[in-house]
Amino acid sequence: MEVGSFVALGDSFTEGLDDPRADHEGYLGWADRFAGMLAAQRPGLRYANLAVRGKMLREVAEEQVTQAIAMAPDLVSLAAGGNDMLRPRADPDALAEQFDEVVRTLLMAGCPVLMFTGFDPRFPVLRLIRGKVAAYNMHLRAIADRHQCHLVDLWSMSVLRNPRAWSADRLHLAPDAHRRVALRTCEVLGVPVAADWREPWPSAEGIASSQARAWLAARRTDMRWARVHAAPWVARRVRGVSTGDGVHPKRPELLPL
């Protein structure tokens, strides 16, 4: 697939949280990393990233799709619905219908679409939505098959089930996991790369010497997560605010990388 221009749409996953840039000016993330890998094979690649943290699928459709179509890119990536899944009343079937409409809109405008499934949530509490995410993913695979879209199946990436793939909030990927997703994306699109996303994680240092100690360490981590990350998230939902309020796309124009 010849790609000379690429536009990324979505939420915090595609914006790049929690993968800070070396200059600490914002975030890198899988999309920036993929664009860099693609540019190594396609000199002159133009790239835009319209993703903003906290966005629901409806907001991605309303705020980002029209901008992407106006740029007439060779490839549009679409990863959305994760924030919807975190809501108690999320309906995977209805959400999939919205997703299908976005894909059809992009395709009718002549924009090839690269899709992503949701992750396999394994952490405590987040496991409660695992069934909904699985159902949503089945719809996404059917949509990709129906419209002949490229699909990156994040659920099947076993390396992302390792706790080290995740940042402290358990919702966003750690830097090396973003790198692995970029490599997987290259594989799906047939972009040559030297590294392998399946490479095992390095041996962990400082592993607890007994199962009891490991269990206690895990529970302390769970308690800290609930206090530092889960409680503020719930508070924001109650207040009706989002981490994306007032945040603008980090790369709003289709420019050479």
Side-chain angles (χ1 to χ4, degrees):
M1 180 179 184
E2 289 297 325
V3 179
S5 54
F6 166 49
V7 177
L9 310 182
D11 49 32
S12 57
F13 165 61
T14 300
E15 183 185 346
L17 277 65
D18 280 320
D19 183 11
R21 291 168 51 95
D23 58 10
H24 302 291
E25 295 292 331
Y27 295 97
L28 195 60
W30 77 265
D32 284 18
R33 291 174 179 271
F34 165 68
M37 296 172 186
L38 184 59
Q41 303 294 325
R42 313 278 197 276
L45 175 79
R46 293 179 298 143
Y47 167 53
N49 190 320
L50 306 181
V52 173
R53 67 197 73 174
K55 294 300 181 182
M56 311 277 277
L57 176 57
R58 172 184 54 79
E59 295 172 310
V60 171
E62 294 174 353
E63 300 170 12
Q64 301 175 24
V65 171
T66 301
Q67 294 182 60
I69 290 174
M71 297 177 187
D74 295 328
L75 178 68
V76 174
S77 69
L78 179 62
N83 290 312
D84 299 79
M85 285 289 102
L86 291 171
R87 271 58 177 183
R89 296 183 180 179
D91 181 350
D93 300 332
L95 195 62
E97 291 181 5
Q98 295 179 45
F99 197 101
D100 185 77
E101 179 63 26
V102 174
V103 170
R104 287 192 290 112
T105 298
L106 288 166
L107 292 175
M108 285 189 295
C111 301
V113 179
L114 168 68
M115 295 172 49
F116 290 77
T117 68
F119 299 104
D120 182 1
R122 295 295 186 97
F123 287 110
V125 180
L126 293 176
R127 281 198 297 261
L128 296 175
I129 68 170
R130 194 167 184 245
K132 289 195 299 184
V133 175
Y136 185 48
N137 283 349
M138 291 300 293
H139 283 299
L140 294 180
R141 295 185 186 101
I143 291 170
D145 182 65
R146 182 161 59 249
H147 297 298
Q148 298 184 325
C149 296
H150 289 286
L151 177 71
V152 178
D153 192 344
L154 300 173
W155 181 284
S156 68
M157 291 180 64
S158 58
V159 293
L160 299 183
R161 295 172 194 154
N162 190 301
R164 284 177 290 175
W166 298 89
S167 63
D169 68 4
R170 300 179 174 180
L171 292 174
H172 300 106
L173 294 179
D176 196 56
H178 274 287
R179 181 185 68 87
R180 291 169 186 263
V181 170
L183 290 170
R184 175 70 174 121
T185 304
C186 286
E187 181 180 83
V188 168
L189 292 175
V191 179
V193 288
D196 186 352
W197 62 268
R198 302 173 186 81
E199 181 182 356
W201 291 89
S203 299
E205 297 180 1
I207 298 177
S209 58
S210 69
Q211 290 185 347
R213 289 180 182 177
W215 186 89
L216 289 172
R219 298 297 74 75
R220 284 195 294 268
T221 300
D222 290 344
M223 292 176 64
R224 184 179 185 280
W225 171 80
R227 182 179 70 256
V228 177
H229 300 287
W233 184 89
V234 172
R236 288 195 299 272
R237 297 289 75 74
V238 171
R239 299 197 308 272
V241 300
S242 167
T243 54
D245 292 344
V247 177
H248 301 288
K250 65 179 182 179
R251 195 177 173 92
E253 299 181 29
L254 192 60
L255 297 172
L257 192 62

